[in-house]
Amino acid sequence: MKIISDPLELKTYLKSNNKTVGFVPTMGALHEGHLSLIKQSKEQNEVVVVSIFVNPTQFLKGEDLDKYPRKDEADKKICELSGVDVLFFPHAKDIYGDDEVSLQAPNVRGYVLEGASRPGHFSGMLTVVMKLLNIVNPTRAYFGKKDAQQLNLINLMVKQLFMSVEIVAVDTLRESDGLAMSSRNVYLSKDERVEALKISTSLQKAFSMVNQNILDTKEIKKQMREILKPLEISYVEILNRDFLPLEFVELGNSIVLVEVKVANTRLLDNIWL
Ligand code: AMP
């Protein structure tokens, strides 16, 4: 496995081969969820590039940028063992300059749900994803459905900016008890982790209500909120795949999304129905 930290060196290196390239951008502290993206990328491409970059511009003031889990050495080993061809480990100073050209998240879709509690987060995210895609120039790039709003905005960016990369959405990987895997789960104490299970339980409730043909989104959201008590709920929402509100669940075109705070940790999860 080659490890490169200089963006221009990586760009030159990848330009010199004519192979299909799969790209998996991450912020490190790799877990099985990341590995499923890497695995799918390996199956579909000749070369797999993973990036590890804790992007400062998508963290708001007071958020966990400084304490975000960093496991550089373990991550390198995991990538090596997973058959990653190139690991891109850039320094912030090589990604950002003093006077920056940057992307602005769309005014509506970028400022609802997670964007409402984290204004500017998605502008930072889109900017770094655009930079990384321009450096790697992949055939396909892999993103988790767990970050459904991020995925939606990236798809929108690729469409509206006429980019040629194919975005591949990968299913959410969960712990055996249902908790969605996340680098931030390490912040949870034992008791908080038990409380966090209310998130996947509430999503299972939505799933089983829809199975019983209860499609009224107000009713489903009410029952989900009951299950989530007493957690601090940022949102419980049922939207179509274009992120527009739904009165009734449309099978094959709906996403049920939850964001809660467990102690100081913000956790998101969703299911696609
Ligand atoms: P992160 O390192 O948290 O920025 O995540 C990097 C990529 O992995 C993003 O596309 C995430 O959506 C994806 N991801 C994170 N957690 C999971 C999970 N549990 N299952 C599948 N993909 C995930």
Side-chain angles (χ1 to χ4, degrees):
M1 180 177 76
K2 216 170 159 55
I3 301 179
I4 297 179
S5 63
D6 178 3
L8 294 179
E9 185 187 337
L10 178 64
K11 207 172 159 77
T12 310
Y13 176 76
L14 291 170
K15 245 190 194 157
S16 63
N17 73 48
N18 255 343
K19 296 182 172 161
T20 53
V21 174
F23 178 43
V24 182
T26 81
M27 297 206 299
L30 300 179
H31 52 68
E32 302 268 341
H34 297 114
L35 291 188
S36 74
L37 272 64
I38 293 173
K39 188 163 169 263
Q40 194 164 332
S41 175
K42 270 191 79 66
E43 284 162 9
Q44 297 176 331
N45 304 278
E46 292 162 290
V47 173
V48 173
V49 180
V50 170
S51 65
I52 294 180
F53 181 56
V54 182
N55 172 39
T57 66
Q58 69 190 67
F59 287 77
L60 272 63
K61 271 206 178 84
E63 289 189 344
D64 56 345
L65 173 64
D66 293 333
K67 69 173 179 121
Y68 194 83
R70 289 166 210 252
K71 301 187 175 163
D72 297 356
E73 290 315 308
D75 286 348
K76 281 179 197 165
K77 278 211 181 90
I78 290 171
C79 286
E80 178 103 57
L81 291 172
S82 314
V84 170
D85 299 288
V86 183
L87 178 56
F88 180 41
F89 232 123
H91 302 290
K93 68 171 176 38
D94 294 326
I95 296 291
Y96 291 107
D98 296 333
D99 194 15
E100 271 284 310
V101 175
S102 57
L103 286 177
Q104 172 64 43
N107 286 327
V108 179
R109 277 195 254 188
Y111 290 86
V112 291
L113 304 177
E114 192 179 357
S117 51
R118 307 181 75 192
H121 163 70
F122 286 120
S123 298
M125 181 281 291
L126 288 173
T127 301
V128 83
V129 170
M130 172 61 109
K131 284 174 184 264
L132 293 170
L133 290 173
N134 284 339
I135 294 164
V136 177
N137 193 25
T139 320
R140 301 180 186 87
Y142 295 78
F143 294 90
K145 287 185 182 176
K146 175 172 172 286
D147 299 287
Q149 192 173 8
Q150 165 173 293
L151 175 63
N152 180 270
L153 291 170
I154 290 168
N155 275 320
L156 195 67
M157 172 177 83
V158 166
K159 183 172 165 218
Q160 292 184 341
L161 299 185
F162 303 98
M163 297 162 69
S164 44
V165 61
E166 180 190 333
I167 301 298
V168 183
V170 181
D171 287 338
T172 301
L173 222 81
R174 299 175 180 283
E175 305 285 355
S176 54
D177 57 9
L179 183 69
M181 290 184 181
S182 163
S183 304
R184 288 190 166 101
N185 289 350
V186 297
Y187 297 153
L188 301 172
S189 69
K190 220 170 156 198
D191 291 346
E192 289 161 4
R193 201 189 169 293
V194 172
E195 279 295 281
L197 287 178
K198 288 180 175 165
I199 303 168
S200 51
T201 307
S202 75
L203 291 168
Q204 279 157 17
K205 177 73 181 173
F207 179 77
S208 69
M209 286 177 82
V210 169
N211 264 346
Q212 292 160 39
N213 217 24
I214 303 166
L215 303 177
D216 181 344
T217 56
K218 245 196 200 149
E219 187 53 36
I220 298 171
K221 288 190 280 185
K222 196 172 131 208
Q223 301 256 352
M224 290 176 67
R225 283 180 172 271
E226 279 302 312
I227 291 172
L228 290 165
K229 274 180 186 167
L231 295 175
E232 184 185 328
I233 299 174
S234 309
Y235 56 79
V236 172
E237 213 30 278
I238 302 180
L239 304 173
N240 72 13
R241 304 271 169 100
D242 286 323
F243 266 65
L244 299 171
L246 284 172
E247 208 175 320
F248 295 98
V249 169
E250 291 172 5
L251 285 177
N253 187 34
S254 306
I255 311 180
V256 186
L257 306 111
V258 179
E259 182 185 308
V260 294
K261 254 182 133 180
V262 180
N264 282 325
T265 308
R266 223 175 22 79
L267 296 172
L268 351 156
D269 199 353
N270 60 68
I271 48 167
W272 297 42
L273 295 173

